[in-house]
Every structure is written in structure tokens, then in C-alpha cells.
Amino acid sequence: MRATCTSISSDVIGRDGFYRAFLCDFARVSSFFSYDPRSPGAAVRRREHISSRDHRAGRESVAEWLLRCNTDWGALPPALEAAEKLKDPGASVVLAQVRPALLGGDRSVLCKVLSVIEYARRLEELCETPVIPLIWVISDHNWGGIGRAKMLDPVGEVHTLALRPEPPPATPAHKIPLHPGIYDVVGEMERILRISSPQDNQVCRLVRQCSREADALNDAFCRLLVGLFSSSGVLVVDESDAGTRMRMAPVLQRAAVSRYSVEQELEVGHERLEMAGYSPPVPESKGQCHIFVDTERGRRRLIRREKIFCDEQESFRLPAGSVAEMISEDAHLFSPGEILRPIAQDAVLPVMAFVAGPDESAMRAQAGGIWSIFDTEVPPIYPQMYLTLVNPQLDSALRRAGLSIQDAVFPVRGPETIDNRREEVLDDLGGEIIRDAFGEAEQRFEVICGQLWDKLEQAAPSVEQIHEKSEDRMRWILQCYRDKAGQHLRRRHRDTVRDFRLIRNTLHPYDGSQACLSYLPCLMRYGGRWVTAVAEALADQDYLWRPFVVRWSDSG
């Protein structure tokens, strides 16, 4: 199998002014970052920074911990070898964070995985030291985002799968049970995708195996990522794992103690973004300490009020002076919010670079001043690659529709373009013209038959019976023509509607978020060779800071 990547204009990338500047005019936002990620010197400087500090978590310990976790999830040798490489004093990671989700998440997960693979490969060549691609699975409790999956069937219909029963609100993913509902979900997925022999499909078997061996949604998600991508050397970290939380605890302790400084720096970042003309991603909120705690009622955000910490409902109250000690003693209950998470990641791992989307990039910019509180700096930030996947079926539908990818994926304008083109194509089918033509032919036929009958009756009355039979046969032939034309028109109408449904449901505008559809259908049809082919196609590109259209063929 061979895939090809074609870049399209960055104008299709969203309405977010900050991220557009980050991608297309970095000089405008460079003051918010410590490094210019487009410069080769940034990676070299970052490598020297990593080498100059005694990594707080300890390389040997971190490598053994990652090796143990990924082995338990069934990692293949390339990932296990990558974990061993982290013992090298010069080794580092390219990190992207994803949230756990049913059946492996949506295509944004795939884009981030492919991004860390390619950025790690390039940085390793540049720095001449091991650089490991790593996916960090965050703690999440948003059921709407993690408990559902959207699948596109072969004819372009979107189906939503949901794990049942729905857990109580704010239940974190690592406490959402899979059984017994997961087997109904997997069976429905196989039916939707028309997998005739699931037992013979490697990805179907993997999904069932992960569902069987995992107790919770978070664990199943990590196992699936490892099963799908460890052959490419990708390591996975689960933020809800007790070992991960123990290693993050010092950052959370300092954040609890330095909560006023953190809040002040975040306000400064808020003002800087507003003065530069951008919308801050994190609103001003007094008392937020950006730490979550797992309670019997779910995952709760800690809020400072006078001399206590509590949640928004004040269902519990903790003395402010005791929180740091509680984090030390019960680290497995505490996890960072979006502001502290990258700082905790950098404390746990030697991070060469982050891979981030629009919201994450803006958050790093707003929270840049907070890093100095923790005696560190923001690593280089590379943009998550934006990939539009165009399989052979979609490619054919686009050609028949006369649409370009770039027109279809423009924010706001894209859906309108598709809908307008659909109406044009349906009008061009000529349904009214065909109906009018046959109506006119029938009228003329009646006139001609009447004239012919008058003349024949005068000339040869004996041919009356022959004339009637011939007239009936000619009527039948005309009706056959009309029926055949109608069938052809209906078939073309059906095919056109199907093509545009496939296009509309597959191509989502670059509005700052990736398409919500699952990437599993591609893997189920083509297997791991598809991931390899796409990665090789991306490796041929000289510049990754732009959107790409990925095409491939069924052959090979």
C-alpha cells in the first residue's frame, strides 16, 4: 500500500486568531513562547537544557515504570526498546496528550499519534540523541466526550455508539466500568462496519481483547492505543495510574502552596493575550488552583475559599494548610487541570517538545509565566498535524460531485459549498426536462395517431384491428422508454444523494477541532500497513506546519 500527502492552504484552518498566527505568522505570537519551534536551533537548545538539569523523576525509575506499564498493556518490541532508550542521559520524548474515549477516540487521536511519530523522528535526526514518541492519556470525566463513539458506515451514514449504563456525573474514565455493556457496543460496531468475519479481522480481535482484559474505560483505551501503535515505537502513559500520580505529586504540592502566585501569573497571561488582540482560553476565576481530587461523588475541582479548599458545591472542606500534605499521602486521588498538566508532564518526563492543538497552544501561552514558579521553562510547542483522510470511495465521490477538498473543508463556507453544489448537481440531472419531454411526446403521439386513424378509416376500413393493435404496442413502447428513463434518473439521484452524504459526513471544516469520526474503520479495513503508509508519506514532506490531504489506494 502507498499513501500520498498533498498540502492545502492554511487558510482553511479555523477562526481562532491566535492559532492562525502561531501557524502562519509566528513572529506575532513569539513573545508568548520560550522557543521558536520552526528554528532547528530550538531543538538543540532544548536538548542542552534537558542535559543540564538533573531530571527530577530519575531516568532509570521512569524508564522502568514506562516499561512495566506498556508491557502490561501488551506493547510490541519497538515500544519496549523505546522505553529502554529513555535510560540514556540524552534521551527525551515528544509528548501529545489525548483524552480517553470509547473505542480509541476520534480522528484527532490519530492525528496526534502520527504527529508525535513524525516529529520524534525528525528531532532525533536533528539532535542525534534518542527521541521517543509518547502519548499521555489525561484524566477526564466528561461523559459526553469519552463515553461515545461515532462511526461512518460504508454508505456514508453516521452512527453513534454509547456505553451503557451511563455513569453518575463527573465519574472519571478510570472508574467507568466496561462490562457488560462493552460487548454490545463492539458487536454493534462490527455490524455497522459490515465486518463479516470479526474473528479474522486483526483490529476487531484487538478491540475485543482490550475490552475483555480491561476493567475500566481508561484502561481499555490505553491498551488499544498500545495494540495499534506500539509497533511504531509509541509509548503510552496513563495519568490515572497510581505511579503517574505519585510522580506528579511534587508539582501539585507546590501549586497548592503557591496558589496565589499561580493565580497572579495566569491573570497576567490573560491580560497579555487580550492586549495582543486574542481571546484568552482560560477565563479569570478567583480561587481556582487547577487541581482535581477523586471523591465518592466523582472528580472534583479544588477551589480556594478563604482558609479552606472545597469543590463548587462545598460537598467537602479541607484546611488550606493540609492540602499539600494530603497530596503527598494520597497522591493517587489528585490530578492536575489543564494549566498544571504540562508542567507535571515536564517534571515526570524529559520533554523535548509538546504537540498541541489550538486550545492547548493558547493555554501554554497564557500560562507561560507560571512555569518560572516551578523553576523550569515551556518546551518547544509543535502544532498537531491536520490530516483529511480521503479513501478511494470518497475520492471518487468528490470527482463525481466536482468538488475540491479545499472548498469542502473551509470553516462556515465548506458546508454551504457542499450543500449548494448538491442542489446544482441534482438540478443538472434533468428530471423536469425528461418528464416534460415524455409528456410532450405522448401528446404528439395522440395527435399523430388520431390523424393517421382518420386517413386509414377513409382509405381502408379493414385495417382497423391492425391499427388498434399497433397503437397499443407503440403506447407500450413509449411507456417502456419512460419507465427506463425514470429508473435511470432515480438511480442517478440516489447515487448523487449518497455521494454528497458521504462527503458531508466525512469532511469536517478545520474550525479548530478535528472530525469527530472514529479512525478504526480505516484500520479494520487496511490494518497496520495503512498507518505505516501514511507515516511514510508524511516523512516525505519537508514542512509540516500546514494541513494535508491523505489519499491511498486499495491495492498493495
Side-chain angles (χ1 to χ4, degrees):
M1 171 179 284
R2 181 171 177 78
T4 60
C5 286
T6 307
S7 64
I8 57 178
S9 171
S10 296
D11 290 341
V12 303
I13 291 187
R15 57 186 180 271
D16 184 270
F18 183 87
Y19 196 60
R20 284 183 55 80
F22 179 75
L23 288 176
C24 307
D25 189 9
F26 186 78
R28 291 179 55 192
V29 296
S30 60
S31 61
F32 291 97
F33 300 98
S34 303
Y35 296 89
D36 180 352
R38 301 167 304 167
S39 168
V44 176
R45 280 178 49 212
R46 182 61 184 174
R47 179 194 63 187
E48 294 172 352
H49 175 81
I50 292 173
S51 300
S52 67
R53 66 173 181 168
D54 180 19
H55 200 267
R56 282 165 277 181
R59 286 186 176 274
E60 289 284 339
S61 172
V62 167
E64 291 297 333
W65 159 62
L66 288 174
L67 188 62
R68 182 177 64 257
C69 291
N70 284 264
T71 299
D72 290 345
W73 290 324
L76 296 175
L80 302 182
E81 292 168 6
E84 288 286 353
K85 288 180 182 178
L86 273 178
K87 296 178 181 179
D88 186 319
S92 58
V93 303
V94 173
L95 185 151
Q97 63 185 36
V98 300
R99 67 179 184 180
L102 187 65
L103 300 177
D106 60 25
R107 292 183 182 179
S108 65
V109 174
L110 176 67
C111 288
K112 284 197 172 181
V113 170
L114 292 171
S115 295
V116 296
I117 292 173
E118 182 55 23
Y119 284 127
R121 186 191 67 79
R122 296 186 181 211
L123 290 172
E124 185 169 281
E125 289 182 357
L126 181 64
C127 297
E128 299 181 343
T129 55
V131 181
I132 313 303
L134 185 140
I135 295 296
W136 181 289
V137 180
I138 70 173
S139 299
D140 200 355
H141 56 271
N142 176 14
W143 173 252
I146 64 179
R148 295 177 174 85
K150 290 190 175 182
M151 295 281 173
L152 191 72
D153 69 18
V155 297
E157 291 285 0
V158 177
H159 302 262
T160 300
L161 304 176
L163 187 64
R164 302 296 181 195
E166 186 171 327
T171 302
H174 64 278
K175 292 186 177 180
I176 296 177
L178 285 180
H179 307 289
I182 188 61
Y183 297 116
D184 293 336
V185 171
V186 174
E188 182 68 5
M189 176 194 69
E190 293 168 349
R191 184 194 65 79
I192 289 169
L193 300 180
R194 302 179 184 178
I195 307 296
S196 56
S197 301
Q199 66 277 7
D200 297 328
N201 187 293
Q202 184 178 359
V203 176
C204 281
R205 292 200 309 270
L206 177 62
V207 171
R208 285 190 172 274
Q209 178 184 343
C210 294
S211 302
R212 182 174 61 252
E213 295 177 354
D215 294 326
L217 191 149
N218 221 69
D219 188 31
F221 180 79
C222 292
R223 289 177 183 275
L224 187 56
L225 289 187
V226 167
L228 294 173
F229 304 114
S230 63
S231 60
S232 299
V234 177
L235 291 173
V236 175
V237 171
D238 181 4
E239 186 177 283
S240 64
D241 176 73
T244 311
R245 293 192 169 186
M246 177 190 70
R247 289 170 169 81
M248 294 190 298
V251 170
L252 304 188
Q253 286 177 289
R254 181 176 290 195
V257 173
S258 308
R259 55 191 179 275
Y260 294 110
S261 298
V262 169
E263 187 175 288
Q264 184 178 13
E265 289 292 347
L266 198 58
E267 289 176 357
V268 170
H270 190 282
E271 292 175 1
R272 289 186 64 205
L273 281 172
E274 283 191 330
M275 290 179 62
Y278 303 114
S279 300
V282 182
E284 290 184 295
S285 53
K286 299 292 184 181
Q288 299 279 7
C289 66
H290 310 287
I291 299 173
F292 285 82
V293 59
D294 292 346
T295 71
E296 294 180 355
R297 299 186 179 185
R299 187 168 180 257
R300 302 291 186 180
R301 185 190 297 271
L302 284 182
I303 298 174
R304 174 184 54 80
R305 287 180 180 163
E306 296 181 356
K307 296 182 179 180
I308 65 165
F309 280 100
C310 60
D311 63 354
E312 293 179 353
Q313 295 79 26
E314 291 197 20
S315 60
F316 61 84
R317 299 163 65 91
L318 305 173
S322 67
V323 170
E325 183 178 350
M326 291 181 64
I327 293 174
S328 176
E329 294 177 353
D330 298 306
H332 65 284
L333 297 178
F334 294 87
S335 58
E338 61 274 6
I339 295 298
L340 294 179
R341 180 173 291 115
I343 300 173
Q345 292 164 344
D346 184 57
V348 173
L349 296 162
V351 177
M352 168 63 76
F354 287 121
V355 172
D359 291 340
E360 295 167 280
S361 301
M363 283 182 188
R364 303 290 196 279
Q366 184 176 347
I370 296 175
W371 288 67
S372 61
I373 299 173
F374 299 87
D375 305 319
T376 186
E377 63 179 14
V378 184
I381 296 173
Y382 290 89
Q384 165 191 327
M385 287 190 287
Y386 280 84
L387 307 177
T388 296
L389 307 180
V390 180
N391 62 25
Q393 181 186 6
L394 177 59
D395 211 13
S396 298
L398 285 165
R399 284 197 299 270
R400 288 191 293 267
L403 276 171
S404 72
I405 288 287
Q406 186 152 315
D407 287 338
V409 297
F410 255 100
V412 181
R413 198 178 80 194
E416 293 179 0
T417 300
I418 295 173
D419 293 342
N420 292 339
R421 181 58 184 159
R422 176 181 181 273
E423 296 307 313
E424 290 176 4
V425 173
L426 290 176
D427 288 343
D428 290 344
L429 291 179
E432 291 186 8
I433 296 175
I434 292 174
R435 285 190 292 271
D436 291 346
F438 274 102
E440 182 181 349
E442 288 176 347
Q443 292 176 1
R444 293 178 62 188
F445 178 77
E446 295 295 337
V447 172
I448 292 172
C449 284
Q451 294 172 348
L452 182 61
W453 171 247
D454 291 342
K455 292 181 180 180
L456 288 176
E457 188 177 31
Q458 295 174 7
S462 60
V463 301
E464 177 182 356
Q465 187 175 6
I466 297 175
H467 175 76
E468 290 179 351
K469 290 182 178 180
S470 299
E471 183 178 350
D472 290 342
R473 181 168 181 81
M474 284 188 287
R475 289 182 190 277
W476 177 79
I477 291 173
L478 185 60
Q479 185 62 42
C480 285
Y481 279 143
R482 184 168 192 161
D483 291 345
K484 288 292 185 181
Q487 291 174 8
H488 176 72
L489 181 63
R490 287 192 295 273
R491 182 169 61 251
R492 289 190 62 193
H493 187 280
R494 184 183 65 243
D495 292 345
T496 299
V497 170
R498 183 190 61 200
D499 282 347
F500 277 91
R501 181 177 61 219
L502 178 65
I503 294 169
R504 190 74 158 81
N505 289 339
T506 304
L507 296 179
H508 289 242
Y510 288 98
D511 58 354
S513 62
Q514 284 292 308
C516 59
L517 299 173
S518 170
Y519 56 89
L520 283 186
C522 286
L523 291 171
M524 287 183 176
R525 179 163 185 174
Y526 304 109
R529 64 196 177 105
W530 179 79
V531 176
T532 302
V534 174
E536 290 174 350
L538 290 170
D540 291 337
Q541 302 297 317
D542 59 344
Y543 191 64
L544 299 179
W545 287 49
R546 54 194 172 193
F548 289 99
V549 177
V550 182
R551 290 181 170 90
W552 63 94
S553 63
D554 284 318
S555 60

